[in-house]
Amino acid sequence: MLYEERNIYNMEKKGGLKKSIIIIAASIAAVIAAVYFWGVWFYSTHFFFGTEIGSFNCSNMTVDEAKEQIKNDIENYGFTFYEKDDKTEVVTGKEIGLTAEIPDNLQELLQEQKPFLWLTSFKSRSLPLKTEAVFNRHTLYNRITQLDFAKKSNETVGDYTEKIYFENGQFRARDNGTSDVISINDVYSRAKAKIKDLYLGMSLEKEGCYKGINDDDTVKGVLNLANKFVASKITYNLGDETIILDSATIKDWVNIGENSSVKLNTDKIREYVDGLAKKYNTVGAERSFKTSGGSNITVGGGDYGWKINASKESDELCGLIWEGQQTEREPVYAQKALKSGKNDIGSTYVEISIASQHLWFYKDGTLVTETDIVTGDTTKRRSTPSGVYRLKYKDKNVVLKGEDYETPVTFWMPFNGGIGLHDATWRGRFGGSIYRGNGSHGCVNLPYSAAEKIFKSLSPGEPVVVY
């Protein structure tokens, strides 16, 4: 009997516990269901937790609340630049005249929400913002240049002329090992795009705006132009010689100054061309000359020979370097000789020996004629000047005039101002010492037949050698 009573008691006790568990479980389920259905009801009119529309936080807001929040955020809009070392700077919407319409798609975005899935929505989500900001872009650019990171970049670049050096045929900028240099254009273009979509900021580092000094827009422009100059290669053909002008010399002509200026030093270019002229001009230079008598003499003076037009050649050279040209050329000549090189007389020339009072005329190395002559009167200081001259022109039937004479000649061939070769039919003889006391006013008097032969074959520009 006692055993049965205990058994009944234990069964009743177990039944009560089971009933309690069921009641508790049912209560919890009811609470969960209530919370769930409350969430379904709540999120049928509110955006999910963690919802961002564009860059605006609309978490747990109704459409009207979201509109009001976005309106306030636009009115108080600020775009934050996140810099290195956790520094931030802000450009406000008011500073750049920013305005934007309140998006009209908020109700559509809410309706696309699935409220019954609200329990799975506890993570941030971004929805599209159907509006674009309007702002003054010029003001934005200027405002960016006023920010500390832009100023620091300018200080880092500093006087970049001190950082530019020449090595291995190129100009380069020596980086100081920092990455504080900012491309203002890159920052502006990225910020402009983000502000248009009303983003709230950007990281300069993540956007790749920090660069080395060689990537700075100003420095790049300077280096590109300077390196175009030194890429030039001008090969001068000067007679038998070849002169190569390249970066080794041109680098010293490149002037890099403030305000991104890159110029060519025209004074140094002219100095270089003057050096070429000094070395290769032959006008008036002393020449070794083999006389018809077989002796080697030195003749200097006169106006025959090569002469570089230094002014025009300097301008041409400057233009070629400015364009980065690589070319072969002759200099611009003011005057050319018949033959290249120092001994440029060639094989066609008139040879006049004052001491011998004799003339020889060679055409392409062949003697055409030779004759005795009468030159300027040495006793009256009318000596025919020595030197190597160009025949200026030829004329026939000319009257030669001076202070005390007026003489007609048939063949007139001037080579030194008013001094020239001509026939002298009034003379009965030539040569000897006539020129001492009965010489000419400086011209070279010739027999008619010799003057005629020379006149027919000698061309303007060909040399007349007087010694």
Side-chain angles (χ1 to χ4, degrees), residues 7-242:
N7 192 33
I8 291 170
Y9 173 77
N10 288 336
M11 289 177 65
E12 288 176 350
K13 186 176 180 181
K14 288 181 180 179
L17 180 60
K18 184 176 182 181
K19 185 177 180 180
S20 296
I21 292 173
I22 291 172
I23 291 171
I24 293 170
S27 299
I28 292 173
V31 170
I32 292 173
V35 171
Y36 172 75
F37 285 111
W38 177 87
V40 172
W41 168 80
F42 181 82
Y43 285 115
S44 65
T45 57
H46 292 71
F47 289 104
F48 283 152
F49 176 82
T51 297
E52 288 187 351
I53 301 176
S55 293
F56 299 104
N57 182 7
C58 297
S59 180
N60 295 327
M61 293 183 186
T62 65
V63 169
D64 290 339
E65 289 171 339
K67 286 183 177 180
E68 187 64 25
Q69 181 65 43
I70 292 173
K71 178 184 176 183
N72 290 334
D73 286 347
I74 290 174
E75 289 175 354
N76 298 290
Y77 179 82
F79 187 82
T80 302
F81 293 94
Y82 296 92
E83 305 163 33
K84 293 194 308 180
D85 302 324
D86 297 325
K87 184 177 179 180
T88 60
E89 293 184 86
V90 178
V91 173
T92 67
K94 290 183 175 64
E95 288 176 315
I96 58 175
L98 182 140
T99 59
E101 297 292 332
I102 304 299
D104 57 5
N105 67 327
L106 298 186
Q107 189 63 45
E108 295 175 16
L109 294 176
L110 182 63
Q111 289 174 351
E112 291 172 1
Q113 219 173 239
K114 295 179 174 59
F116 56 88
L117 296 178
W118 71 271
L119 284 173
T120 64
S121 68
F122 288 96
K123 59 182 179 179
S124 62
R125 66 179 190 140
S126 181
L127 301 178
L129 179 68
K130 287 189 176 180
T131 190
E132 288 187 357
V134 178
F135 54 93
N136 189 313
R137 299 182 180 189
H138 180 69
T139 303
L140 172 63
Y141 185 89
N142 287 339
R143 183 71 183 91
I144 289 173
T145 63
Q146 296 167 1
L147 297 176
D148 287 344
F149 66 76
K151 294 177 181 177
K152 187 174 183 180
S153 175
N154 290 334
E155 290 172 1
T156 301
V157 175
D159 184 4
Y160 54 83
T161 59
E162 296 180 358
K163 298 179 174 66
I164 291 178
Y165 64 100
F166 186 83
E167 183 179 73
N168 298 327
Q170 280 195 323
F171 284 102
R172 308 172 191 272
R174 188 174 288 104
D175 206 315
N176 59 5
T178 69
S179 56
D180 292 328
V181 177
I182 290 284
S183 169
I184 302 300
N185 288 335
D186 283 353
V187 174
Y188 167 71
S189 61
R190 286 166 170 76
K192 178 180 67 175
K194 290 182 179 296
I195 292 173
K196 185 180 73 172
D197 292 332
L198 292 169
Y199 282 93
L200 299 178
M202 74 177 196
S203 166
L204 297 179
E205 202 157 15
K206 290 180 180 178
E207 292 289 336
C209 296
Y210 287 108
K211 301 177 182 296
I213 193 170
N214 283 284
D215 295 315
D216 177 75
D217 296 327
T218 299
V219 176
K220 278 199 298 187
V222 167
L223 291 178
N224 287 342
L225 185 54
N227 283 324
K228 183 177 76 168
F229 294 162
V230 294
S232 304
K233 183 178 180 181
I234 313 300
T235 302
Y236 278 109
N237 295 315
L238 293 155
D240 298 331
E241 293 189 47
T242 298

Side-chain angles (χ1 to χ4, degrees), residues 270-313:
R270 178 58 186 264
E271 184 180 325
Y272 176 83
V273 174
D274 285 343
L276 291 180
K278 183 177 181 180
K279 183 175 181 180
Y280 294 101
N281 282 357
T282 59
V283 172
E286 290 188 342
R287 297 172 174 83
S288 176
F289 180 74
K290 187 172 184 178
T291 68
S292 295
S295 60
N296 290 311
I297 64 172
T298 299
V299 184
D303 62 2
Y304 174 83
W306 296 94
K307 185 177 182 180
I308 294 173
N309 188 323
S311 177
K312 289 186 177 180
E313 180 56 28

